[in-house]
Structures are given as C-alpha cells and as structure tokens.
C-alpha cells in the first residue's frame, strides 16, 4: 500500500509527505525530484527547454514507476492528479490524500518560490487553474484541511488519525502506530 499526497502548488505535499513518511517509518519519494533526477534538469528548465507536454509525459512515466514500490509515501506534483489516467493509476495503486488549503494561503506560499514554478503565471490565471483543478483533487480518498496555524507535526497526526484502519495496517508493520 502506498500513500499519495495530492493537491495544488504550495499545499505542502513535500514537507508533509516527508514528515508523514518519517512518522510511519516508510520511504519517501517526491515525484518532481524523481523527474528532475531522471532528466538531469530542474522542472523550470524542463518546461523552458522541452515544454509542458514533455514534462507531463515524464511525470506520467515516473508516476507509473512507483508501481514497483511496496510501501511508501509519495508526494505528487500539483498537476499529476488532474489527469484521468494518473488518477486511475493512483486509485489502483494506493490511497490518495488531498491537502486542501484556501487559495490565499496557497498564493502566499507559492509566491515565495514563484520563479521556480512554471505553472504560476499571474494571480488571476493561477486562481483559475486552482478552481479548475479542485474537482480532481476532491476525488481523492481523503481530504485534510491545511490551516496556517497548524504545525507539520499536528497535520501529520491528523492524517494518521483519519486514515482508515485497513489502510494504516497495510502501510505499517505494527510498530509505528
Ligand atoms: C505543477 C506543479 C509542480 C511541478 C510542476 C507543475 C502544476 O509541483 O510538478 O511545476 O502543474 O501545478 P508542486 O505542486 O510540487 O509545486
């Protein structure tokens, strides 16, 4: 059983994913980092030199390579869980957790690293993208509301509490919960 973290840019998939993996004593993988390692380029460079369709193709391939992992926490990219085939893959391979945050919070977090995020054009376009993507994210198995005043530790504990018993026992071997 694998846990896939999904949600818009800035919701904390990588930070929460790493902390959740530590908490459950599972290996952690970040899809964007795997794509960057495979391409030997940053996401920004891949978009600039090869274009978005190429990035989406590599993102798809790398997502599918998680098939060979048995138990893991995987942080997806903000666009991964917005394509039907990727959604179906995640559904068949594991359990999806949507980190849901209000747009203003996401906006302020994205702003810190806006230059590294090719999908961030301007506020209006990004808000539109967010609205269009919500229906996909909302199809995740579990939605966790991210609030600004919550620590990473608190969020991780909430996720662990809200995971169905069967999922929790399938991802850990007893000792971690
Ligand atoms: C994207 C989000 C990014 C990265 C790429 C495309 C998107 O991931 O995969 O820039 O389409 O929203 P993060 O959500 O980790 O920033």
């Amino acid at each position: 059983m694998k846990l896939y973290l999904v949600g818009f840019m800035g919701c904390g998939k990588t930070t929460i994913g790493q902390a959740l993996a530590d908490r459950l004593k599972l290996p952690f993988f970040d899809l964007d980092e795997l794509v960057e390692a495979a391409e030997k380029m940053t996401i920004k460079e891949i978009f600039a030199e090869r274009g978005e369709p190429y990035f989406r193709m590599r993102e798809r391939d790398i997502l599918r390579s998680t098939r060979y992992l048995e138990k893991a926490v995987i942080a997806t990219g903000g666009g991964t869980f917005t394509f039907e085939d990727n959604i179906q893959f995640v559904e068949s391979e594991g359990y999806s957790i949507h980190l849901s945050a209000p747009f203003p919070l996401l906006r302020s977090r994205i702003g810190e690293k806006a230059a590294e995020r090719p999908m961030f054009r301007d506020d209006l376009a990004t808000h539109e993208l967010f609205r269009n993507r919500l229906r996909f994210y909302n199809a995740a198995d579990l939605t966790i509301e991210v609030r600004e005043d919550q620590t990473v530790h608190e969020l991780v504990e909430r996720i662990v509490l809200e995971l169905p018993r069967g999922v929790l026992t399938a991802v850990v071997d007893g000792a971690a919960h």
Side-chain angles (χ1 to χ4, degrees), residues 9 13 32 43 47 55-56 59 77-79 117-119 133:
M9 291 177 273
K13 299 179 291 287
D32 285 337
I43 301 282
F47 269 75
F55 171 76
R56 296 299 173 200
E59 178 182 49
R117 289 187 154 112
M119 292 304 287
R133 285 176 166 183

Side-chain angles (χ1 to χ4, degrees), residues 59-126:
E59 178 182 49
R60 265 192 176 80
D61 293 344
I62 305 278
L63 174 67
R64 273 153 192 70
S65 71
T66 64
R67 170 176 288 138
Y68 304 106
L69 300 169
E70 201 198 330
K71 295 177 182 186
V73 176
I74 297 146
T76 63
T80 317
F81 201 75
T82 66
F83 296 93
E84 289 297 345
D85 57 338
N86 290 346
I87 294 172
Q88 275 175 23
F89 175 83
V90 169
E91 279 172 356
S92 66
E93 280 298 313
Y95 187 82
S96 52
I97 303 166
H98 171 208
L99 299 180
S100 168
F103 186 73
L105 176 57
L106 298 170
R107 168 66 191 91
S108 70
R109 288 194 189 166
I110 302 166
E112 294 162 15
K113 284 189 174 179
E116 291 164 34
R117 289 187 154 112
M119 292 304 287
F120 178 80
R121 283 183 277 273
D122 55 65
D123 280 354
L124 208 65
T126 308

Side-chain angles (χ1 to χ4, degrees), residues 121-137:
R121 283 183 277 273
D122 55 65
D123 280 354
L124 208 65
T126 308
H127 194 199
E128 184 72 14
L129 186 67
F130 170 75
R131 284 211 311 254
N132 290 336
R133 285 176 166 183
L134 273 182
R135 67 189 173 98
F136 298 111
Y137 301 143

